Amino acid sequence: MTGSLPRVVFVDDDAAIRRLVASVLEDLPIELVCCASVAEARAALRAQAAQLVITDLMLPVETGFDLLESLAADAALRADAHLVVFSAGLHADTRARLTGLGVWRQLSKPVSLQALEDCVSDALSLPPGTGTVAPTVVPTALTAANPAHLRDREQHAIVAQFGGDAALYLAFRSQVQSQLPLDILEGERLLTQADWPALHRLSHSLKGLLSLLGDETGAALARHLEASAAAADGAACHQGWPALVRHLGGSGLA
């Protein structure tokens, strides 16, 4: 590896999360490869070994568990990579299973972006402070121009999860907003077709995004819908989905 940057493979099916992580890690001396699926991640690892693999668990077609089991079974594919899980679905039984698969660290969404950067630095033994950007404060002009964007809960999320970087928070929020109309159309389709597994994945994704944005009410509604879809409870899904959509409209996100 002499003369080359350490390679990090990041796996998440949400485009907004991939862009956010790329922005957060862009100042680190690494080669970041973002993948939207387990198949893409395997292809990236076959093409070139990585020193760190970070994966979500709730992924379409194949899950993060499938990827981790592949790496546990194929030493050449894993090479010497540290394995990290970055997920909103970490529970006691899940954590125990991940430990058995050789996962080095487990990050529960929402996690501060500084914690994510620190995790990468620790895994790759980067010098302390590498890539760290001093937190920004919320500018007065920004507050005056965008009062709806900076409610108390959002200011808390900016400080707690975005290291005080209001510009990064607002850029991420804009990305989520641009995708939400498509997510809502997709949710309506899944509800009509009673596709509970796909609705489960969608609500899980929305739960993580809303938590990261500091919208705990929306995250709780998405969490309830996630549980209903996991149980294939059609009646509860038909109540939970409209409630989540109404909240998104009232919050100004959709």
Side-chain angles (χ1 to χ4, degrees):
M1 240 186 67
T2 303
S4 63
L5 295 174
R7 198 162 191 254
V8 178
V9 171
F10 178 77
V11 193
D12 198 300
D13 62 316
D14 194 295
I17 294 291
R18 293 196 303 273
R19 285 192 292 268
L20 176 64
V21 168
S23 297
V24 170
L25 302 181
E26 65 182 355
D27 291 325
L28 293 179
I30 63 173
E31 177 193 352
L32 180 64
V33 180
C34 289
C35 302
S37 68
V38 169
E40 284 185 23
R42 285 202 193 97
L45 292 168
R46 290 191 184 104
Q48 185 180 337
Q51 286 66 55
L52 175 61
V53 177
I54 306 174
T55 185
D56 191 9
L57 292 179
M58 186 72 69
L59 298 165
V61 186
E62 294 181 279
T63 69
F65 280 115
D66 293 318
L67 174 60
L68 294 167
E69 287 168 356
S70 296
L71 296 175
D74 189 340
L77 189 65
R78 176 175 177 175
D80 62 350
H82 281 81
L83 305 180
V84 172
V85 165
F86 181 54
S87 173
L90 295 178
H91 310 291
D93 54 344
T94 304
R95 289 182 182 277
R97 183 180 174 189
L98 293 173
T99 299
L101 289 170
V103 172
W104 173 71
R105 190 170 294 181
Q106 302 174 31
L107 300 176
S108 183
K109 296 177 182 174
V111 67
S112 75
L113 300 179
Q114 184 61 58
L116 176 61
E117 185 179 289
D118 289 345
C119 174
V120 173
S121 295
D122 290 348
L124 302 176
S125 299
L126 300 178
T130 302
T132 300
V133 179
T136 59
V137 296
V138 178
T140 303
L142 183 61
T143 306
N146 300 277
H149 290 175
L150 295 167
R151 286 169 279 193
D152 288 346
R153 62 177 173 78
E154 292 168 325
Q155 291 196 41
H156 175 76
I158 289 168
V159 173
Q161 278 129 231
F162 288 76
D165 193 331
L168 183 60
Y169 173 89
L170 291 174
F172 177 67
R173 190 177 190 272
S174 177
Q175 291 169 5
V176 172
Q177 281 182 301
S178 67
Q179 177 62 32
L180 268 178
L182 298 177
D183 287 337
I184 290 173
L185 286 175
E186 176 68 0
E188 298 290 348
R189 184 183 70 82
L190 298 175
L191 193 65
T192 300
Q193 296 180 355
D195 188 341
W196 311 132
L199 187 62
H200 177 241
R201 289 193 298 273
L202 176 61
S203 54
H204 176 86
S205 175
L206 290 172
K207 176 187 71 175
L209 294 173
L210 293 171
S211 291
L212 194 53
L213 289 170
D215 184 354
E216 289 307 321
T217 299
L221 289 168
R223 187 178 299 111
H224 179 72
L225 179 62
E226 178 187 23
S228 299
D233 186 339
C237 288
H238 276 279
Q239 291 181 339
W241 175 254
L244 177 58
V245 172
R246 284 194 300 273
H247 172 79
L248 292 173
S251 71
L253 278 174

